[in-house]
Amino acid sequence: MIAQVADQPFVRWDWIVDHVDDIWAATWEHIVLTAIAVGVGFVISLALSMLALRHRRTYGPITWVTGILYTIPSLALFAFLVPITGLTTLTAEIGLVSYTLLILIRNIVAGIDGVPASVRESAVGMGYTRRRLFLEIELPLALPVIVAGIRIAAVTTIGLVTITALIGKGGLGFLILRGLNLFYSPVGTTQIVVGTVMSVLLAVAVDLSLVGAERAMTPWARSRHR
Amino acid sequence: MRATCRPRVRETPEPMIELTEVTKRFRGTRAPAVDHLTLTITDGEVVVLVGPSGCGKTTTLKMINRLIEPTSGTISIDGVDVTGLEPHELRRGIGYVIQQIGLFPHRTVRENIATVPRLLGWEQARVERRVRELAEITDLGADMLDRYPSELSGGQRQRVGVARALAADPPILLMDEPFGAVDPIVRAKLQDELLELQRRLHKTIVLVTHDIDEAIRLGDRVAILSVGGHLEQYAPPEELLRAPANDFVADFLGSDRGIKRLSLIRIADIDLEPGPVVPPGTDVERARAVMAEYDTDWVAVVEGDRMLGWVTDDRLDGRSTIDGVDLEPFLTRLTPDDTLEEALDAAISSHTAIAAVFDDERFLGMITVERISREIVR
């Protein structure tokens, strides 16, 4: 069996050429699943962070609950959710979103806590309302720390999306799972390699574009040592 | 009436900011930070709140723009109780400068200065005009406007902070240790600039400092507070130094308060002596009598109000009148605008121990070390 495997090509390039459309569809699904997870996760995290910043006492419980969500093994979480929400995108996203919350909330709160007190005091002293202070001063200044959180959340989510293949989603994870089911046939290993390589490339591409976006949005941080 | 709508011209100075029996007790502390403080600040004057740490000076300042709410008592601006206004509306009408300045690091100098006009919804062209005007007033180069705060020196940041506070032309400026974070040389320069600015703009300025020299230098009136927010004395600096109300004030002013006072008195404020002067043609006998009277070994020759120069006693030997001797010019010439501190320096460092005061070419009189010391002990 093993000798047989060794005799055969590990990656079958002809399979890749024939399945470009499939691969692209899987990649696109992967991107969509990730984008929804990080987007929804960010909105929820922003709301919870604002609550935590305004009422400091809630910060402990919020990180405690999201911390527990973060530690639940993903397989167990999906197994638990399927009877309730079925083999749906919703099930996948509940899991994926849950895993982004702790990272995002921690970074949003830390970012806003990092805004110098003197900046806040002068803003309030000049007549900023609470809302405008948050949107126009605190949030932009916290951006580098918040983006750092989004990067971790996005890269983690891209990895986790492959697991959702087990509930019939999965993007590139679907290719990997199908490859596993074909044991170690050349078509199987090819799909595993394609799924893995594309997933890694996607993570790197998303991370780099987030770095680029942060640099574009924070021109003041670049000119510090001119 | 909003603070920003105040009529800008007044016939007589009126109380502008009035604190009446203001007390602030922070939660969890027994002793009040400010205790029944009553203070009136007049339109167009610079009032400095000064005292040791814990005297409540910053708390008092922050109660004026409601960053801190008083526990009891009232604060009014132009007769309007500040608690009747929306805090953010009130604050947009009051300039505010803090020690760390608190410039917005993510905004350029231009955008920083434009902060309050933007909050007030001015249109773009007006904002831009105002920014350029302020850059000029505060001596910031136009090339500075597109920089970020991190690219500026401490002194430049401070100027941007002042420009930003003045942007919407508020009648009141609150400054909390505004020069505390810069080195002494820059501080002196910024203090001068503030005084110069004030001469042009006539704002009502309330400034907090722990530095008594700064208070004396900048204040039209100085309020000395002791721990617990007790007002020990509230008077013009000259009066504080001349007549401290109690031991606390005297201690706080320091043992050199006599010298400090000299920097506040201008030569124009005191009566000058003619000094050892004689008209041309005076005989030597008479000239020596004048020298004896002033206990000097020299005499100056003055024709009308024109100073011709001075000559020492020994060069008069063998002459009958002072005419024809070579006269030395006065090298140190004071003007009526100079302070007694400068006069003292001139007098003790001159050969004659007397300094001559001129208004352009007109000789006004002499000032002696003795005359200056009489001013100190008065």
Side-chain angles (χ1 to χ4, degrees):
Chain A
M1 179 81 178
I2 287 169
Q4 195 188 351
V5 170
D7 287 343
Q8 293 176 355
F10 191 66
V11 173
R12 276 185 50 186
W13 297 98
D14 58 322
W15 186 92
I16 296 177
V17 173
D18 287 347
H19 294 81
V20 166
D21 286 351
D22 274 1
I23 296 168
W24 172 245
T27 308
W28 179 245
E29 191 191 32
H30 207 109
I31 293 171
V32 170
L33 285 169
T34 305
I36 293 173
V38 176
V40 172
F42 184 74
V43 170
I44 295 173
S45 298
L46 192 62
L48 288 173
S49 299
M50 285 168 74
L51 178 71
L53 287 163
R54 190 140 186 186
H55 305 285
R56 212 71 222 200
R57 267 172 300 178
T58 62
Y59 187 49
I62 286 171
T63 50
W64 188 75
V65 171
T66 53
I68 286 183
L69 285 176
Y70 191 71
T71 54
I72 295 176
S74 46
L75 271 177
L77 185 66
F78 290 131
F80 177 72
L81 281 172
V82 166
I84 305 166
T85 48
L87 294 170
T88 60
T89 307
L90 180 64
T91 307
E93 290 297 351
I94 289 174
L96 295 173
V97 166
S98 308
Y99 291 116
T100 65
L101 298 180
L102 181 68
I103 299 163
L104 291 174
I105 290 170
R106 280 224 171 137
N107 278 267
I108 294 170
V109 170
I112 286 173
D113 275 347
V115 174
S118 61
V119 168
R120 199 172 280 122
E121 188 192 329
S122 70
V124 174
M126 284 187 293
Y128 269 84
T129 54
R130 198 170 198 144
R131 210 175 79 91
R132 290 186 75 162
L133 174 71
F134 183 74
L135 292 176
E136 296 174 30
I137 308 293
E138 293 179 323
L139 216 46
L141 287 176
L143 209 62
V145 182
I146 293 174
V147 172
I150 294 175
R151 283 170 59 193
I152 301 172
V155 170
T156 312
T157 303
I158 288 170
L160 270 174
V161 163
T162 55
I163 305 284
T164 63
L166 292 169
I167 54 166
K169 301 293 155 192
L172 294 161
F174 178 70
L175 293 180
I176 297 171
L177 188 67
R178 203 168 59 181
L180 284 172
N181 288 339
L182 292 171
F183 300 103
Y184 290 98
S185 69
V187 171
T189 50
T190 301
Q191 291 189 53
I192 293 171
V193 169
V194 168
T196 307
V197 168
M198 287 303 287
S199 177
V200 169
L201 287 180
L202 189 59
V204 171
V206 165
D207 197 46
L208 287 178
S209 46
L210 282 169
V211 172
E214 187 209 319
R215 279 178 66 86
M217 285 187 291
T218 58
W220 71 89
R222 243 173 300 151
S223 50
R224 194 157 293 160
H225 303 292
R226 192 157 75 185
Chain B
M1 185 175 76
R2 291 243 306 267
T4 40
C5 310
R6 191 178 68 88
R8 305 208 49 80
V9 182
R10 287 264 176 80
E11 293 80 36
T12 51
E14 288 174 33
M16 169 135 209
I17 306 171
E18 282 184 288
L19 287 77
T20 312
E21 293 285 306
V22 172
T23 296
K24 176 65 192 181
R25 194 175 267 107
F26 286 105
R27 238 198 304 185
T29 55
R30 284 183 64 85
V34 175
D35 193 10
H36 294 92
L37 178 66
T38 297
L39 200 66
T40 302
I41 294 155
T42 316
D43 196 6
E45 74 175 339
V46 180
V47 165
V48 180
L49 308 178
V50 66
S53 53
C55 73
K57 52 191 189 294
T58 293
T59 304
T60 303
L61 188 83
K62 287 183 177 176
M63 285 193 285
I64 297 174
N65 68 357
R66 292 184 63 191
L67 286 174
I68 294 174
E69 302 282 0
T71 309
S72 65
T74 60
I75 297 172
S76 66
I77 295 177
D78 272 341
V80 179
D81 190 336
V82 293
T83 51
L85 302 164
E86 277 295 320
H88 63 267
E89 302 248 331
L90 169 79
R91 291 171 194 148
R92 289 172 191 176
I94 299 176
Y96 188 51
V97 181
I98 58 176
Q99 181 180 338
Q100 310 84 342
I101 314 162
L103 294 182
F104 302 147
H106 62 308
R107 294 194 173 165
T108 60
V109 169
R110 170 183 278 107
E111 292 164 337
N112 265 287
I113 296 175
T115 301
V116 180
R118 286 269 166 72
L119 287 171
L120 293 170
W122 290 16
E123 46 183 284
Q124 185 55 43
R126 188 179 170 205
V127 173
E128 180 57 26
R129 252 199 327 274
R130 183 61 181 156
V131 167
R132 292 190 170 279
E133 199 174 295
L134 282 160
E136 200 175 312
I137 291 174
T138 53
D139 211 16
L140 288 160
D143 58 316
M144 213 78 88
L145 292 178
D146 291 313
R147 296 199 195 165
Y148 287 103
S150 58
E151 300 170 282
L152 306 179
S153 72
Q156 288 166 341
R157 279 180 213 175
Q158 188 55 48
R159 285 194 198 101
V160 176
V162 172
R164 183 173 70 168
L166 291 170
D169 204 16
I172 300 173
L173 206 53
L174 304 180
M175 308 181 93
D176 189 0
E177 304 248 9
F179 310 126
V182 290
D183 64 70
I185 293 168
V186 176
R187 185 182 312 147
K189 190 165 177 332
L190 291 170
Q191 288 170 344
D192 282 343
E193 285 174 9
L194 180 67
L195 289 173
E196 182 56 39
L197 212 63
Q198 173 65 355
R199 260 191 284 282
R200 283 199 271 169
L201 302 179
H202 307 292
K203 300 290 179 190
T204 303
I205 299 177
V206 186
L207 186 146
V208 161
T209 181
H210 61 267
D211 176 358
I212 184 65
D213 293 317
E214 180 166 272
I216 288 168
R217 188 141 183 237
L218 298 177
D220 292 318
R221 282 199 285 174
V222 175
I224 298 190
L225 301 169
S226 59
V227 175
H230 299 284
L231 183 61
E232 299 292 343
Q233 192 170 5
Y234 184 34
E238 197 276 327
E239 189 183 322
L240 283 181
L241 292 165
R242 177 164 44 81
N246 53 41
D247 288 350
F248 177 85
V249 175
D251 276 355
F252 195 76
L253 291 168
S255 53
D256 60 341
R257 68 169 199 273
I259 300 281
K260 280 181 183 143
R261 229 180 101 230
L262 294 181
S263 66
L264 296 173
I265 306 174
R266 310 226 161 256
I267 291 172
D269 300 336
I270 66 163
D271 301 323
L272 296 174
E273 304 171 54
V277 297
V278 294
T282 307
D283 57 55
V284 169
E285 203 78 358
R286 171 80 195 113
R288 286 190 163 139
V290 170
M291 285 185 237
E293 187 189 332
Y294 280 89
D295 194 21
T296 64
D297 60 351
W298 58 273
V299 69
V301 183
V302 172
E303 185 173 19
D305 58 10
R306 224 161 57 81
M307 168 61 69
L308 300 178
W310 58 276
V311 63
T312 49
D313 186 13
D314 54 322
R315 303 205 19 223
L316 296 177
D317 289 345
R319 290 176 177 274
S320 57
T321 72
I322 55 154
D323 287 354
V325 294
D326 286 333
L327 297 171
E328 306 274 341
F330 277 91
L331 295 178
T332 318
R333 299 157 68 98
L334 295 165
T335 70
D337 265 352
D338 289 329
T339 65
L340 289 192
E341 191 183 27
E342 288 159 314
L344 180 66
D345 184 59
I348 60 178
S349 53
S350 79
H351 162 74
T352 53
I354 292 182
V357 183
F358 294 87
D359 186 5
D360 282 329
E361 282 309 302
R362 217 156 59 83
F363 171 68
L364 297 178
M366 302 269 190
I367 189 158
T368 61
V369 175
E370 192 191 15
R371 176 72 187 82
I372 294 167
S373 89
R374 231 189 309 147
E375 205 57 41
I376 297 177
V377 298
R378 197 173 66 151

